Amino acid sequence: RGAAEEGERVARATKRNCRSSPFKLNLVADLVRRLPVDDALLQCEASPKKAAGILRQVLHSATANAVHNHGMDARRLYVDQAFVGKGQNLKRPWFSARGRGGTRTKYRSHLTVELREAEVPPPRRARLVPTLMDRIRRRRQREEAREAAAGGLQGEAAAPVPDDTLGQL
């Protein structure tokens, strides 16, 4: 925040009292820190997590704030900071068998995203984390290719089929 005081423009958006725990929101916020806004939005859309949808909303809001309030160029924006704070916890009754009960804590959190404008458009460097279905599909394709290679040689030793870049799954 010291750089913002020196005259550097920062666009900020905050969503307060999100219905998600700070830990879960921070897992998704880790994915988008220091990324260009376009890549961060792509990362959020590819993630199956509920927290990614919340972060996507805040990124859209921060981008709109940057363009309309600060006059920044949307193509040169990157996520400078994305941090999560703890909100107010709600205590709810939780009923169990045999007349027992307890309290269940419903966690709330605050999500803040800060965008800055780079001197040159930041390079695209998003690397999407493959979803479980993608990994299963690729594993099946590799197994089918191995079986086809082994069946095509019929007597000779089958040459190993190289794995793709994902490694062991």
Side-chain angles (χ1 to χ4, degrees):
R1 294 191 178 171
E5 296 169 1
E6 296 171 3
E8 206 173 317
R9 294 185 299 176
V10 176
R12 182 180 295 136
T14 303
K15 182 170 172 100
R16 298 180 60 78
N17 293 319
C18 302
R19 287 174 33 187
S20 181
S21 73
F23 180 80
K24 292 177 183 179
L25 265 177
N26 199 33
L27 286 176
V28 179
D30 283 339
L31 291 176
V32 301
R33 284 191 189 107
R34 312 301 289 175
L35 283 182
V37 172
D38 295 336
D39 291 348
L41 287 170
L42 186 66
Q43 194 77 31
C44 288
E45 289 169 6
S47 176
K49 296 179 180 288
K50 174 184 164 185
I54 297 170
L55 181 62
R56 196 172 126 269
Q57 286 179 344
V58 178
L59 277 171
H60 280 300
S61 178
T63 305
N65 290 344
V67 172
H68 296 293
N69 298 346
H70 301 288
M72 296 181 183
D73 184 11
R75 292 182 304 267
R76 299 189 320 174
L77 292 176
Y78 70 96
V79 179
D80 184 47
Q81 292 184 6
F83 54 91
V84 181
K86 192 174 107 170
Q88 185 177 16
N89 295 337
L90 303 175
K91 305 269 183 153
R92 295 291 179 255
W94 197 252
F95 303 106
S96 299
R98 299 185 181 188
R100 295 182 181 148
T103 58
R104 169 105 187 249
T105 306
K106 302 242 179 190
Y107 296 99
R108 301 288 172 117
S109 51
H110 309 312
L111 175 64
T112 303
V113 173
E114 289 185 359
L115 303 180
R116 288 192 196 273
E117 193 173 26
E119 290 79 24
V120 295
R124 295 185 60 89
R125 59 184 192 117
R127 182 177 161 264
L128 295 177
V129 178
T131 61
L132 181 60
M133 282 305 299
D134 291 337
R135 290 183 285 179
I136 292 171
R137 189 177 305 121
R138 287 187 187 130
R139 186 181 327 140
R140 286 182 184 158
Q141 289 172 351
R142 283 195 307 266
E143 291 171 357
E144 290 171 3
R146 284 189 188 116
E147 290 172 3
L153 295 176
Q154 294 180 358
E156 298 177 20
V161 176
D163 287 344
D164 60 354
T165 57
L166 290 177
Q168 295 290 336
L169 298 176

